[in-house]
Amino acid sequence: MASRSSKFLLPLAALACVVRSAWADPMDAGADARSDALDAALDVAGAVDASADGSADASADAPRDEAVPAPPPAPAQADPVVTVTTTTAAQLPVRVVDYTLRATLNETAHVVTGEGTVRWTNPSQAPTRELWLHLYLNAFRSSDTYFMRAWGERERAPSQWGGIEVSSLGLEDGTDLLPGATHPSEPAGDETQLRVSLPRPVAPGETLTLRVAWRSTLPEVIARTGFHGRFHMVGQWFPKLAVLEADGRWVSFPFHAYSEFYADFGRYDVTLDVPRGWTVGATGQRVGAVRTQGGRDTHRYVADRVHDFAFTAWDQYVTRESRAGGVAVRVLHPPGAEGDAQRVVELAEGMIPAFARRYGPYPYPNLTVVIPPRGAEEAGGMEYPTLITTVSAWWAPRRARLLEYVTVHEFGHQYFYGLFASNENRWPFLDEGLCEYATARVMQDLYGPDGDLFDIPWLAPRLGPWALSAAGSASIAAPVPVTTAAPDFATYGRYGGHVYARTATLLRGAELTYGSARFAAAMRAYAEDARFRHPTPDTLLSALAQGLGDDAVEGYLRPALEAPVGVNYRVSVVESARGADGVHRGRVVVDRTGGPALPVEVVLESVGGARSVHRVAASALTTVIPYSGATALRAARVDPAGRFPLDENRLDNARVSADHEASAAPLIARVAYWLALVLDVVGP
């Protein structure tokens, strides 16, 4: 999902442009020419001068500040695109449920009437005497539903609310199940779940077939479903079975504004009846030709190995077709959006192969991308199997890559939710957070080292997704565990800050510390293990531990995910004095508050311009780094390369000694500091 996430992104974008300068170099007043050389010095072999516990070796009495000269600036290079060759055999999902449905769209009343059969096999190890169905369109019955209360106030009420009414529900033998079906009493007023009692237990491995009929009233477009004029985006529109876990426990939850999905894999065979001449886009592939009768068209779509189905229908769609990475790509867009459609086509040529290299092949033969018309923007930024919606960018230059970013993110959900069918309600970070990380990585693959979202020369500085995520993470004022369940976040700002921004930032920190190649291989191992399954946090952490080591997971990633995190490094003391022997001796004190942390580097700079690099251990709360040199100690800086983006306030990562402070007060750092405070506006 990206429509709400884009609301989280956009307020940060302008601020992050300024804050990024603070992330880069708040220390180096009047010495910008030396900054690039400093970053390059971090890669010089033998430059690290620190013991395992983070303290420096001060045994030498001779001046040392000229011992590590700064090399010339190294050319910027993109992180490697790592293609991992899998040794794991392709695994097909267990087909738990098959839907054979027929639906008719009334384009004037904006109503879908449907009927069909649902064939379900008990996948658990225990018999069950009940079924749970999701009736998620009931989230839009009124402004007082559980969903809408979490969604928040709207500028205006929709012209039509929506809902779903089940008119018939029974077994193949004619047993009527509807009289015994009930909505849970909690949360009060919610009707997005239906508990169905069965006349006898269904044993493990046993199959039953339901016959169901229903009527779905679409709302005026809201929360990625509904209508706008004659445009229809139809999601959450049919009764859908919840997941029965291996232990015989049903996992069903009310539809909440911060989460959508958890369902089993199966086959969908859906026949759609729409007005004649209307264009349809849907999950899966169209089977056979469109049949026309009595002013109506019938389209049949079939999708296998998926766990949801959605469709769109409109009489104004313009269709653009192409191929990318062996996949048939179909773009549906409003008239006048040919430029946006061309951008999507060009993007797909790099995006689909990039995801395949990193997370395994896209297993479906086709992809449909929908660009909603103006006025239906709330339908944009959404994912369904083989069907995604993006946003229009008619108003923006090509180098303002919001359309590209949203499209990459939603296609990423074909993996992080689609193929890796995690419980988004319980662990939203496995879906949105990992997808946010993957989006940034693929943006880098496509657009260079920073994957810039805004790359407009006359509006420099550039802005990449990593900087945006770091700013969003740093804006969190009330941290909670990233593993918090979606409904338990108090506000959408806190949900977005933790699930999207902090997850991506945590993973990025581990990647920068342990290396892109190792991290890419570990993520690919997770992708192979999670494909067509229901992964949990332990699935992810196990794969990362195998690739990065237990220290990376148990010392950093697990506590960073499972406990509230607030980490800040600060250079507290920078001082030196000239001794009788002419040698300048002093110290730098680096303090860390909060945790967990990763090892970070500290660079010391002398008045003469020489620099040395020291390492602070992840376990150290306070590190004292002795200094000895031919000239006075001028300044110190923590993590100048930005390898620990979880650091909440990089404005105190550098300090200049009191004797040289007057030359080190760049105006941009002061301005950035005060503007950084404005981040609280988008925080909780």
Side-chain angles (χ1 to χ4, degrees), residues 397-419:
R398 288 180 65 91
R399 289 193 173 187
R401 299 187 178 109
L402 179 61
L403 178 150
E404 286 78 5
Y405 180 84
V406 173
T407 306
V408 171
H409 184 89
E410 301 312 328
F411 181 74
H413 278 306
Q414 297 297 306
Y415 291 80
F416 300 95
Y417 134 80
L419 299 181

Side-chain angles (χ1 to χ4, degrees), residues 516-594:
S516 294
R518 288 179 66 189
F519 198 83
M523 286 297 293
R524 177 60 179 263
Y526 168 72
E528 292 174 357
D529 197 24
R531 179 172 284 233
F532 293 129
R533 298 186 183 178
H534 297 308
T536 67
D538 283 340
T539 313
L540 172 67
L541 294 175
S542 176
L544 294 178
Q546 291 181 25
L548 307 178
D550 288 339
D551 288 346
V553 170
E554 301 305 328
Y556 171 63
L557 282 171
R558 187 183 297 277
L561 291 168
E562 295 181 352
V565 173
V567 186
N568 187 54
Y569 280 97
R570 179 174 183 268
V571 179
S572 302
V573 175
V574 176
E575 60 186 14
S576 68
R578 186 175 184 271
D581 58 359
V583 176
H584 293 260
R585 294 183 177 86
R587 62 176 182 161
V588 169
V589 178
V590 177
D591 293 313
R592 172 173 63 84
T593 56

Side-chain angles (χ1 to χ4, degrees), residues 361-420:
Y362 176 73
Y364 308 112
N366 66 306
L367 173 71
T368 300
V369 182
V370 176
I371 303 174
R374 297 185 200 179
E377 287 81 5
E378 280 201 58
M382 189 55 187
E383 71 278 4
Y384 297 100
T386 79
L387 174 70
I388 63 175
T389 69
T390 186
V391 296
S392 176
W394 59 269
W395 46 270
R398 288 180 65 91
R399 289 193 173 187
R401 299 187 178 109
L402 179 61
L403 178 150
E404 286 78 5
Y405 180 84
V406 173
T407 306
V408 171
H409 184 89
E410 301 312 328
F411 181 74
H413 278 306
Q414 297 297 306
Y415 291 80
F416 300 95
Y417 134 80
L419 299 181
F420 319 145

